[in-house]
Structures are given as structure tokens and as C-alpha cells.
Amino acid sequence: MEDSNNTTPEVVNIMDSEGSTDTFEKVKSKKTQKRKRDKREVEMDGEDTVAPKRPQFPPLSGHTLTGGADEMRKVPVPAHRYTPLKENWLKIFTPIVENLQLQVRFNLKTRNVEIKTCKETQDIGALTKAADFVKAFVLGFQVEDALALIRLDELFLETFDITDVKPLKGDHLSRAIGRIAGKGGKTKFTIENVTKTRIVLADTKVHILGSFQNIKMARAAICNLILGSPPSKVYGNIRAVASRAAERF
């Protein structure tokens, strides 16, 4: 007969004098007790150790990030934009110097607008914003429209050629430009108002200023006009797309 101590029964029954049986609860194994004991020790260790604080450093200025060296951007100005630049120089000069803390000048010898960082420059992206602002004005946008490139981050400038969409020549090219502009600029203004963009037609070049999604809508409408679609059909398409975009947001 085997010894009862060698076996670990889950339930032990004891017979009393009256013949009734009492059932004992299941005996917990040593492994379970060891796991609980280890868990308690880990929790106690976690309470003793304090999480280290994240170091906080002051933000670096743009001048420090560039290693103390001044960066410069040059924007060439074509001959037909000299007069508008001279007339609007104060409007261009003020936001670049006061808001972006940059230095700007017009080099008469090279005919370039030169923008440079200095010790007061805080934002490292200010130089790119100022260069885009001046470039937009040079391409033919109004100062007020180009100023949005400085104030807003999600604005872009896109340029493409009409002949990139369809290789047109002579009168065919002239008619395509006329379809984009419309009578008295009506078609261009309609596309601008519906897509919330600004469009400049400069010979065979088309410049669009706006957000990524709006530029996409305006470019699709202009491409359809170049390919020969009637303006009425293009109006309907861009209005449908604009309404769907407005519902989405």
C-alpha cells in the first residue's frame, strides 16, 4: 500500500462518526504562492524607484542652429517687375524685417532681392517663408495675397506651362489662354472663388497660390480648359468637387 503523503489529492474527504463527509478546499500549489510573492516584490521595488524627470532645454534660435553663420537667399527680379517692386517695397520690407526678424535689400547690380538671417532671427524656417513671399510677388501676385505665405503654413506655390498639358502653337495656344482667362477674366475669377486660390496667367505660364487640395482642384479645372472643355462644364465639375470637399471637412 502506497504512502498517502506521496500523493497530493485535490479534494480530501473525512468521514465522521455519523457518516457525513466534509469537503476541504483545493490546496494551492507552491508555484502559485511563489508567483504572488515575486509579484509583490516587483511592486515594492517599483514603489522605491522614482521615474527620472525629462530634461527641459530652452528652444534654440535659428542663428544658433545654423552654427552662428548667416544664411542668404537671392530672388531674381525680371525687368517688368522693377516698377511694381519699387512701388510696393515698403509693404514687402515691413513684414520681412518686423515679423520674421530678417535683413533684406535689393541689389541694383545683380537685380536680386537678397534676404539674410541675423542674430535676432528666431524661427529657422523664416528665411524660406520670406523667399517664397518675395517670389510670389515677383511672379505677379498681389502683396496682400503673397503675404498669406508668411502668415499661414499650409500654403504652396505651383507653376506649370500650358504646353506641358497639351503641345499647342500659334492661334491654338492663344485660344487656350483665352479660355482660361474668359471674357474680362470671368473664368479665372470663378475658378479662384470656387477653389479659394489665386491664379496668375503670365504668357504660357500658370501660377497657382493656395493649399494643396485647392491647388489640385484649380489645376484640374485649368487643364480641362486647355484640353478644350467648355467653361460651363468646368464650372459644374469644380463646384461639385468643392461641395464634396466642404462636406468632408
Side-chain angles (χ1 to χ4, degrees):
M1 191 171 180
E2 295 181 0
D3 190 3
S4 61
N5 294 330
N6 296 334
T7 60
T8 55
E10 293 183 357
V11 179
V12 179
N13 295 331
I14 296 178
M15 186 79 69
D16 59 5
S17 60
E18 297 177 359
S20 62
T21 59
D22 293 331
T23 304
F24 288 94
E25 294 180 359
K26 182 180 177 181
V27 178
K28 294 181 180 179
S29 63
K30 293 181 179 180
K31 289 183 179 179
T32 308
Q33 294 175 357
K34 187 178 179 182
R35 283 198 204 104
K36 286 186 177 180
R37 189 166 60 249
D38 294 342
K39 189 176 180 182
R40 270 191 242 107
E41 290 176 358
V42 170
E43 288 177 356
M44 290 175 65
D45 293 341
E47 291 175 359
D48 295 339
T49 58
V50 179
K53 293 183 179 179
R54 293 181 63 185
Q56 294 183 353
F57 301 106
L60 295 175
S61 64
H63 190 71
T64 309
L65 288 172
T66 56
D70 294 332
E71 291 187 9
M72 180 183 287
R73 294 283 179 88
K74 296 179 181 180
V75 182
V77 181
H80 69 280
R81 296 298 291 173
Y82 291 161
T83 304
L85 183 70
K86 186 178 179 181
E87 292 174 353
N88 295 280
W89 179 250
L90 192 61
K91 294 180 182 178
I92 296 169
F93 173 91
T94 305
I96 293 175
V97 175
E98 292 184 358
N99 298 345
L100 299 178
Q101 306 294 327
L102 297 169
Q103 295 177 353
V104 61
R105 71 173 184 178
F106 180 63
N107 194 325
L108 293 170
K109 290 183 179 179
T110 59
R111 299 288 184 178
N112 289 334
V113 175
E114 298 177 354
I115 308 165
K116 192 173 76 169
T117 59
C118 59
K119 291 182 179 180
E120 288 77 18
T121 306
Q122 299 296 326
D123 186 9
I124 194 170
L127 192 64
T128 304
K129 286 183 178 180
D132 290 342
F133 166 56
V134 175
K135 184 181 178 183
F137 177 79
V138 167
L139 290 176
F141 291 97
Q142 297 292 326
V143 180
E144 292 75 16
D145 297 333
L147 199 59
L149 286 165
I150 291 178
R151 293 176 177 170
L152 303 174
D153 291 332
E154 300 300 323
L155 287 185
F156 304 96
L157 194 61
E158 181 165 333
T159 301
F160 67 93
D161 202 304
I162 292 174
T163 54
D164 292 340
V165 181
K166 189 176 183 181
L168 300 171
K169 294 180 182 179
D171 292 340
H172 297 289
L173 181 60
S174 301
R175 280 193 289 271
I177 296 170
R179 281 197 300 275
I180 297 170
K183 186 177 180 181
K186 178 185 174 184
T187 305
K188 183 174 80 75
F189 293 146
T190 304
I191 295 172
E192 284 180 344
N193 293 333
V194 174
T195 60
K196 297 178 183 177
T197 56
R198 287 292 177 267
I199 300 169
V200 169
L201 290 174
D203 197 18
T204 60
K205 298 282 186 183
V206 179
H207 310 294
I208 308 174
L209 173 67
S211 65
F212 178 80
Q213 197 67 28
N214 294 343
I215 287 175
K216 185 179 177 182
M217 286 192 290
R219 187 177 62 235
I222 292 170
C223 288
N224 289 333
L225 289 169
I226 294 169
L227 294 172
S229 297
S232 58
K233 185 177 180 181
V234 173
Y235 292 160
N237 290 340
I238 59 174
R239 283 200 176 96
V241 173
S243 63
R244 282 201 300 270
E247 289 173 1
R248 191 181 304 134
F249 292 109

